[in-house]
Amino acid sequence: AVHFALSIVHVLASCFTGPIDPLADAQEALANGERRSALYFVDQAIDSNPADLLARMVACDAALALANPDRAISEYGRIAESDSQYSLARAKLAEAQLMGNYLVSAGKTIETLTMDNPTAFIAAIGYQFALGEPDAGYALLDEGLKKYENDPRLITIDAERLWTQGKADAAFARLEPALAIEPPVAQAHLFAGQLELTFRNATAAQDHFEKVLSVRPMHQTAMLAMAAIARDSGDTTAAGNWIDKANDAGPYHTIVLLYAAKMDYDADDLPRAFALLEKAPPAFSGQPEFVRLRGLIDARRDQHAMAALSLGNYVDQTGGDVLTRQLLARSLGEEGKLK
């Protein structure tokens, strides 16, 4: 009995000594899609050896996967110019800055890139798209594909270009090599899921979005897509759960706000729908879809003066649709302004 007790003590003691190789455990967790565990282990590795370059890079990748660009930016900023991974780290720093919407900082970082890795091209392309300069972005894409023709993220952007040109079959075909890669490439499967939704292939789309979430568990766009699929299938509970997860994944994203507000409007929870719209940043609250939904809410609440204002703005911006034009006419009539 004594020997058994001693053996149990030794086993229990070993359980609390922490990982023998926290960096290896972090890399394994990252490969398995366990991003939070990866950060836990890599923090231990960094505490043990703050100069460990690989640990810093793993921490950055885990932070990006968890939609935490500020942590990634902090870690990338600690990688010295003399380090072997400096060029890649700078490219990933630009990606993190773009993710955090720090466009000015991203532009300055991109100016320093040596363009000697695919990530540098992806960051530079993303920056041009963020500036509203797709032609410049696609020129960089062509340059990147000449050097890195098999990079899955560059292939995905190329497939997106084909789609914008109305070449659906070519876009699917172009995407195939990126979809075959394991572990899944989040960008490729996100776009594939969006394509499948366009063709109303909900089951196939869901498979792709699940693969996105297997490697990027905090990906808000994928969560919103899952919410849309659940909602379209009539499962409003699952849809609401996905919306909540998207909200928990980080700061309120404008798309999350709009989609959640639409769901509340459809459920006739008008106070909550309105409250969500009020959280939209000023730069987005005037966008057509926000203006339209605000007008629909006001019309349903019989606040016709406000409804007429919002719906009128929406019709002026976009030409409107049958529903908004009908509701606009009704609200104008109620206000005695329809001749």
Side-chain angles (χ1 to χ4, degrees), residues 125-192:
I125 293 165
Y127 178 66
Q128 292 300 327
F129 287 167
L131 293 179
E133 299 290 344
D135 291 341
Y138 288 133
L140 283 165
L141 172 62
D142 290 333
E143 184 181 345
L145 285 169
K146 288 178 182 178
K147 296 180 69 173
Y148 306 104
E149 62 181 355
N150 295 320
D151 182 78
R153 292 203 288 168
L154 291 174
I155 288 172
T156 300
I157 300 171
D158 199 20
E160 292 171 347
R161 172 168 56 179
L162 290 169
W163 173 253
T164 63
Q165 296 171 349
K167 302 174 182 177
D169 291 341
F172 271 111
R174 184 72 176 105
L175 203 54
E176 285 181 3
L179 296 177
I181 294 173
E182 291 291 342
V185 178
Q187 292 88 339
H189 285 280
L190 182 68
F191 181 51

Side-chain angles (χ1 to χ4, degrees), residues 225-244:
M226 294 293 284
I229 292 170
R231 180 185 176 189
D232 289 346
S233 69
D235 192 344
T236 56
T237 299
N241 289 339
W242 279 114
I243 289 291
D244 290 340

Side-chain angles (χ1 to χ4, degrees), residues 298-312:
D298 287 334
R300 189 175 288 183
R301 297 166 82 178
D302 291 328
Q303 296 179 352
H304 295 292
M306 296 302 297
L309 179 62
S310 293
L311 294 174

Side-chain angles (χ1 to χ4, degrees), residues 9-331:
V9 169
H10 287 304
V11 170
L12 290 175
S14 68
C15 291
F16 293 99
T17 58
I20 296 175
D21 187 346
L23 179 55
D25 288 337
Q27 291 174 303
E28 182 179 357
L30 192 61
N32 292 335
E34 300 166 359
R35 270 47 186 181
R36 293 188 187 280
S37 296
L39 273 181
Y40 169 77
F41 289 129
V42 81
D43 282 343
Q44 293 188 356
I46 291 172
D47 287 343
S48 299
N49 183 8
D52 190 329
L53 172 63
L54 181 56
R56 294 283 181 196
M57 295 295 285
V58 172
C60 295
D61 290 343
L64 285 179
L66 288 168
N68 186 350
D70 291 333
R71 167 71 190 269
I73 290 169
S74 175
E75 293 295 348
Y76 287 130
R78 292 187 172 95
I79 295 175
E81 189 171 357
S82 58
D83 289 327
S84 60
Q85 295 291 306
Y86 179 74
S87 177
L88 178 59
R90 295 296 291 176
K92 290 191 173 187
L93 171 62
E95 277 200 298
Q97 290 167 332
L98 287 172
M99 179 184 286
N101 202 32
Y102 304 124
L103 292 184
V104 173
S105 297
K108 292 178 180 178
T109 301
I110 287 167
E111 288 177 357
T112 70
L113 300 183
T114 54
M115 310 308 285
D116 58 357
N117 59 79
T119 303
F121 282 97
I122 290 161
I125 293 165
Y127 178 66
Q128 292 300 327
F129 287 167
L131 293 179
E133 299 290 344
D135 291 341
Y138 288 133
L140 283 165
L141 172 62
D142 290 333
E143 184 181 345
L145 285 169
K146 288 178 182 178
K147 296 180 69 173
Y148 306 104
E149 62 181 355
N150 295 320
D151 182 78
R153 292 203 288 168
L154 291 174
I155 288 172
T156 300
I157 300 171
D158 199 20
E160 292 171 347
R161 172 168 56 179
L162 290 169
W163 173 253
T164 63
Q165 296 171 349
K167 302 174 182 177
D169 291 341
F172 271 111
R174 184 72 176 105
L175 203 54
E176 285 181 3
L179 296 177
I181 294 173
E182 291 291 342
V185 178
Q187 292 88 339
H189 285 280
L190 182 68
F191 181 51
Q194 292 168 336
L195 289 179
E196 295 290 3
L197 278 184
T198 301
F199 292 102
R200 301 187 182 281
N201 298 327
T203 300
Q206 182 171 328
D207 289 342
H208 287 297
F209 294 130
E210 286 175 348
K211 288 185 177 180
V212 173
L213 293 168
S214 73
V215 292
R216 295 280 299 278
M218 309 301 281
H219 200 295
Q220 287 181 316
T221 304
M223 292 180 188
L224 287 177
M226 294 293 284
I229 292 170
R231 180 185 176 189
D232 289 346
S233 69
D235 192 344
T236 56
T237 299
N241 289 339
W242 279 114
I243 289 291
D244 290 340
K245 288 180 181 180
N247 287 337
D248 292 341
Y252 266 113
H253 191 289
T254 53
I255 297 175
V256 177
L257 280 175
L258 181 61
Y259 192 84
K262 282 182 175 179
M263 287 188 63
D264 286 329
Y265 170 80
D266 291 340
D268 210 31
D269 189 347
L270 302 184
R272 177 174 164 79
F274 185 82
L276 286 172
L277 288 183
E278 288 293 290
K279 294 181 179 181
F284 291 92
S285 60
Q287 293 296 313
E289 287 302 312
F290 281 89
V291 174
R292 180 182 188 273
L293 185 56
R294 186 182 296 273
L296 295 180
I297 293 170
D298 287 334
R300 189 175 288 183
R301 297 166 82 178
D302 291 328
Q303 296 179 352
H304 295 292
M306 296 302 297
L309 179 62
S310 293
L311 294 174
N313 287 338
Y314 176 74
V315 170
D316 288 342
Q317 287 176 298
T318 68
D321 51 66
V322 174
L323 176 62
T324 54
R325 289 194 295 268
Q326 287 177 343
L327 290 176
L328 175 59
R330 173 173 171 262
S331 292

